[in-house]
Amino acid sequence: VPSLGNMFTSSLKLNAATRAPQVGPARRMPSVVAMAKKSKDVRQVITLECTEQKESGVPGMSRYTTQKNRRNTPDRLEVMKYNKYMKKHTLHRELKK
């Protein structure tokens, strides 16, 4: 029957051996592959584009990207946003996808 002191010191030696630094590619973290989300997501990314800038002929195009909840807002989104090209707040509408 081994004494408690011998069992304790032998387990320390094993733990010290397992904690030895590894060298080479074995140290790298495994790469994580993310799966693509299904198309049935409730929140979808949309693009808002200025409607007044097309008519004015000012160069450039003011666009914003945001998210919307498809269940709460099934129709097209219209929001007053700042247009940096025209330097004023204008109506921005959701683009078709």
Side-chain angles (χ1 to χ4, degrees), residues 8-18:
F8 184 70
T9 55
S10 64
S11 65
L12 280 179
K13 290 177 186 174
L14 288 175
N15 287 339
T18 57

Short mmCIF file of all heavy atoms in Angstrom, two decimals, residues 8-18:
data_model
loop_
_atom_site.label_atom_id
_atom_site.label_comp_id
_atom_site.label_asym_id
_atom_site.label_seq_id
_atom_site.Cartn_x
_atom_site.Cartn_y
_atom_site.Cartn_z
N PHE A 8 1.00 11.65 -3.68
CA PHE A 8 0.91 13.09 -3.93
C PHE A 8 2.08 13.56 -4.78
O PHE A 8 1.89 14.29 -5.76
CB PHE A 8 0.85 13.84 -2.61
CG PHE A 8 0.67 15.32 -2.77
CD1 PHE A 8 -0.53 15.83 -3.23
CD2 PHE A 8 1.70 16.20 -2.50
CE1 PHE A 8 -0.70 17.19 -3.39
CE2 PHE A 8 1.54 17.56 -2.66
CZ PHE A 8 0.33 18.05 -3.11
N THR A 9 3.28 13.13 -4.46
CA THR A 9 4.44 13.56 -5.23
C THR A 9 4.44 12.96 -6.63
O THR A 9 4.83 13.60 -7.59
CB THR A 9 5.75 13.19 -4.51
OG1 THR A 9 5.74 11.80 -4.24
CG2 THR A 9 5.92 13.99 -3.23
N SER A 10 3.96 11.73 -6.78
CA SER A 10 3.91 11.13 -8.11
C SER A 10 2.88 11.84 -8.98
O SER A 10 3.07 11.99 -10.18
CB SER A 10 3.62 9.64 -8.02
OG SER A 10 2.34 9.42 -7.47
N SER A 11 1.76 12.31 -8.40
CA SER A 11 0.77 13.03 -9.19
C SER A 11 1.31 14.39 -9.58
O SER A 11 0.99 14.91 -10.64
CB SER A 11 -0.54 13.16 -8.43
OG SER A 11 -0.37 13.97 -7.28
N LEU A 12 2.16 15.00 -8.73
CA LEU A 12 2.78 16.27 -9.09
C LEU A 12 3.69 16.10 -10.29
O LEU A 12 3.74 16.93 -11.18
CB LEU A 12 3.56 16.84 -7.91
CG LEU A 12 2.76 17.55 -6.83
CD1 LEU A 12 3.68 18.02 -5.74
CD2 LEU A 12 2.01 18.71 -7.42
N LYS A 13 4.43 15.02 -10.32
CA LYS A 13 5.33 14.77 -11.44
C LYS A 13 4.55 14.59 -12.73
O LYS A 13 4.93 15.08 -13.77
CB LYS A 13 6.20 13.55 -11.15
CG LYS A 13 7.22 13.78 -10.06
CD LYS A 13 7.99 12.53 -9.76
CE LYS A 13 8.92 12.73 -8.57
NZ LYS A 13 9.57 11.48 -8.20
N LEU A 14 3.43 13.89 -12.66
CA LEU A 14 2.61 13.70 -13.85
C LEU A 14 2.03 15.02 -14.33
O LEU A 14 2.02 15.32 -15.52
CB LEU A 14 1.47 12.71 -13.57
CG LEU A 14 1.87 11.25 -13.42
CD1 LEU A 14 0.67 10.41 -13.03
CD2 LEU A 14 2.48 10.75 -14.71
N ASN A 15 1.53 15.82 -13.40
CA ASN A 15 0.97 17.12 -13.80
C ASN A 15 2.04 18.02 -14.38
O ASN A 15 1.81 18.75 -15.33
CB ASN A 15 0.30 17.79 -12.60
CG ASN A 15 -1.00 17.12 -12.24
OD1 ASN A 15 -1.58 16.44 -13.07
ND2 ASN A 15 -1.44 17.29 -11.02
N ALA A 16 3.24 18.00 -13.81
CA ALA A 16 4.32 18.82 -14.34
C ALA A 16 4.69 18.35 -15.75
O ALA A 16 5.01 19.16 -16.61
CB ALA A 16 5.53 18.75 -13.40
N ALA A 17 4.64 17.04 -15.98
CA ALA A 17 4.98 16.52 -17.31
C ALA A 17 3.93 16.92 -18.33
O ALA A 17 4.25 17.19 -19.48
CB ALA A 17 5.13 15.00 -17.24
N THR A 18 2.68 16.95 -17.93
CA THR A 18 1.62 17.30 -18.89
C THR A 18 1.58 18.79 -19.17
O THR A 18 1.06 19.22 -20.18
CB THR A 18 0.24 16.85 -18.39
OG1 THR A 18 0.00 17.46 -17.11
CG2 THR A 18 0.16 15.35 -18.27
#
